[in-house]
Structures are given as structure tokens and as C-alpha cells.
Amino acid sequence: MIKVKKDFDNVPVILKSPNRKEAFGKNIYDGNFNYGKDLYKVGSVQKRLKTIYNLKCAYCEKKLLDTPKHIEHYRPKDIYYWLAYSWDNLLLSCGSCNSFKGTNFEILNNRVIWTDETFENIHNLGDKYDELEEPMIINPEKENILDKIGFNKKGFIFTNDKRIQYTIDTCELNREPLCKLREEIMGDFIETMEGHYEFYILKKDISGFIPTVQQFLKNYKIENKFYAFRYFIVNNIELFFDNGKLADVVKIIFLRLNRETL
Ligand SMILES: [Zn+2]
């Protein structure tokens, strides 16, 4: 999960259309999400979300190239039926995160209910509701958790934060296929660096390490998959090496080259 920039005031026009207003009214009458079930899944909304999320899942950061792209509701539409077309409630996700999350939405306070919200004012209720309910699940559009999560070389995520842990568990962000994909980011990086170590010790020359680190940093971009994992690696590279001396020298090279590429 990484924080994305979304313009909450620039609501896609289609979300304000008359047929959505009609479905909204019927759902309010029923007190349930019974009508207009597909009206949030439209191309123009998906297009906007694809740009905002760099075509990545809001929760797991997998790239959604050849896989189905789901428009996910931060507050589940089956509970918060009046937020089905709410712009600040719509996220982009992969099918797995979407289905694991399902209707799970634990909160620490009382759950809000529909009172008198009109169709016109559903798009920016998130902040007010967050304050009232204190949701457990992280909202990637509002929270930056980069410095509160860590990873091991197997791509496993860990945290001391209860809400982040809840999000990891709810969306199953440590599921095996995801850990495997993250693990590939490290690839043979550690092994290659260890291979250069002998030359470094012998010649006191760090040049052997440079291309491997440069290659790694070339892919260290927010639009690439698993940026949170790459961020942790770049800032904590020493943790990935058992050899303390090698860890120290790799850390220095990372710091120097990363500063140069900024
Ligand atoms: Zn996902």
C-alpha cells in the first residue's frame, strides 16, 4: 500500500448522472444496495482510477496489466449502500484483495448510518466518517504507511501497527503468490552482490557492486509494482545481508547512488 494522490473535488461526471441518482433514491428507500449494481463499474471511472493508482492494486500494489481491474469500495457497498457511487469511496484493486476484503470493515466506534445525505453530497463523506467510526483498515488514499511497514527477503510484510496488521490480515497481503512476486524483486541481487564481495576485499575496489545497484535503483519508481517493498529495501538494504562488512559497504553505495538519482 502506498498513498496515492486523488483529487476528491474533481468527481467523474458520470457518477452524478440521473440514472445513478434514481438508483441512489431507490436504495435509500430500501435501506440496501439493491439497484444500479453495475453503475459504479464504468469505463470513465476505471480510467481515472487507473491513472491515480498507476495501474496498481490499492492494497497489494500488484500491477494490473492482464488481470481484471476491480473498482473496490473502501466502505463496503453492501453495508454503506448510499456510498456505492461515492468518489472518495472508490479504489482500484485486484480481484483477490477485493474478494478477501469483501464486507470486512471493522471499526472502533459506532457505525454510521444513512441519515439525510443527498445524492449530491456523497462524494466527500470519508473524512467525517473516519473520525466518527475509526476504521481499522488503512485507506491508501488518505494514509502514508511507508515508514510503518517492513519486509524480509522472502517478501513477507511485517508491522507493529495494529491497523496495518488488520489490513494485511484482511486482504491477505502475505499470501504466497504475492510474497513470491515480491521476492522476485530482490531476485539474485543478494547473490550477485556477495559474488562481488571477494573482488572488493582483494582489490579494495567497490566498482563491481555499482552496476547491480544502479540497475536496482533504475526500477525504484512509484509507478512500478511493489514500490513499498522497494522503498524498504532502499532504506534498509543492510538488513538483507548476513555479512556485516558487506552490508555496510552496500549501504554506503545505496545512499550515494540513490542521492545521485534523486
Ligand atoms: Zn491486490
Side-chain angles (χ1 to χ4, degrees):
M1 281 164 287
I2 56 165
K3 191 168 184 283
V4 294
K5 276 187 205 151
K6 186 183 197 178
D7 185 350
F8 294 106
D9 295 321
N10 186 6
V11 180
V13 181
I14 200 154
L15 291 176
K16 302 176 180 177
S17 72
N19 55 344
R20 281 160 190 83
K21 185 169 182 167
E22 193 190 334
F24 171 87
K26 284 180 175 173
N27 288 329
I28 294 290
Y29 186 79
D30 278 11
N32 228 325
F33 184 52
N34 293 335
Y35 295 93
K37 292 217 167 208
D38 290 330
L39 293 181
Y40 65 89
K41 295 181 203 168
V42 282
S44 57
V45 174
Q46 195 186 78
K47 199 174 162 205
R48 284 278 299 278
L49 291 173
K50 272 156 63 176
T51 307
I52 291 165
Y53 282 92
N54 283 307
L55 202 57
K56 291 192 288 184
C57 171
Y59 299 107
C60 73
E61 266 203 275
K62 199 164 70 176
K63 205 83 172 166
L64 304 175
L65 287 168
D66 304 319
T67 48
K69 298 138 196 69
H70 289 237
I71 296 180
E72 210 278 308
H73 293 81
Y74 174 67
R75 282 184 164 76
K77 58 190 180 311
D78 288 325
I79 303 172
Y80 304 83
Y81 52 90
W82 65 101
L83 300 179
Y85 315 127
S86 156
W87 178 229
D88 80 345
N89 197 41
L90 301 179
L91 280 61
L92 188 72
S93 86
C94 71
S96 304
C97 288
N98 191 17
S99 76
F100 285 129
K101 181 170 167 276
T103 53
N104 294 304
F105 196 76
E106 206 176 292
I107 51 175
L108 299 177
N109 288 330
N110 294 329
R111 204 172 291 283
V112 299
I113 51 165
W114 178 82
T115 45
D116 57 356
E117 290 78 17
T118 62
F119 178 67
E120 287 71 27
N121 77 3
I122 54 169
H123 300 292
N124 277 300
L125 294 170
D127 288 345
K128 188 175 110 187
Y129 286 180
D130 288 347
E131 225 169 277
L132 292 168
E133 295 187 315
E134 294 190 42
M136 284 295 284
I137 205 149
I138 299 293
N139 186 342
E141 298 185 349
K142 311 238 163 125
E143 305 173 70
N144 184 352
I145 59 154
L146 275 183
D147 291 320
K148 294 181 188 164
I149 51 175
F151 297 82
N152 66 17
K153 57 179 110 170
K154 293 277 173 201
F156 188 90
I157 318 174
F158 53 85
T159 184
N160 289 324
D161 183 287
K162 277 190 183 142
R163 291 184 56 236
I164 298 172
Q165 191 60 55
Y166 173 83
T167 310
I168 292 169
D169 295 341
T170 304
C171 299
E172 299 204 15
L173 299 179
N174 276 325
R175 56 188 186 263
E176 207 192 326
L178 269 184
C179 286
K180 267 214 161 103
L181 285 173
R182 285 194 290 259
E183 195 183 354
E184 283 170 14
I185 301 275
M186 280 306 267
D188 49 10
F189 180 83
I190 297 170
E191 215 175 300
T192 311
M193 295 302 269
E194 281 167 352
H196 295 312
Y197 184 66
E198 216 170 296
F199 176 78
Y200 162 72
I201 289 294
L202 216 66
K203 307 268 183 190
K204 292 279 164 245
D205 181 353
I206 62 160
S207 60
F209 298 121
I210 306 279
T212 315
V213 177
Q214 271 171 336
Q215 186 55 40
F216 188 90
L217 289 174
K218 217 175 111 189
N219 295 318
Y220 176 47
K221 289 179 185 150
I222 213 139
E223 62 266 33
N224 282 347
K225 62 183 176 186
F226 308 125
Y227 178 81
F229 183 38
R230 294 179 205 266
Y231 176 89
F232 183 79
I233 295 169
V234 168
N235 290 287
N236 300 276
I237 187 67
E238 68 281 8
L239 302 180
F240 292 83
F241 291 92
D242 299 328
N243 177 336
K245 258 190 187 168
L246 175 59
D248 288 345
V249 69
V250 174
K251 175 88 185 169
I252 292 164
I253 297 168
F254 256 81
L255 280 172
R256 208 185 83 194
L257 292 181
N258 192 32
R259 212 175 300 131
E260 281 171 14
T261 51
L262 284 178

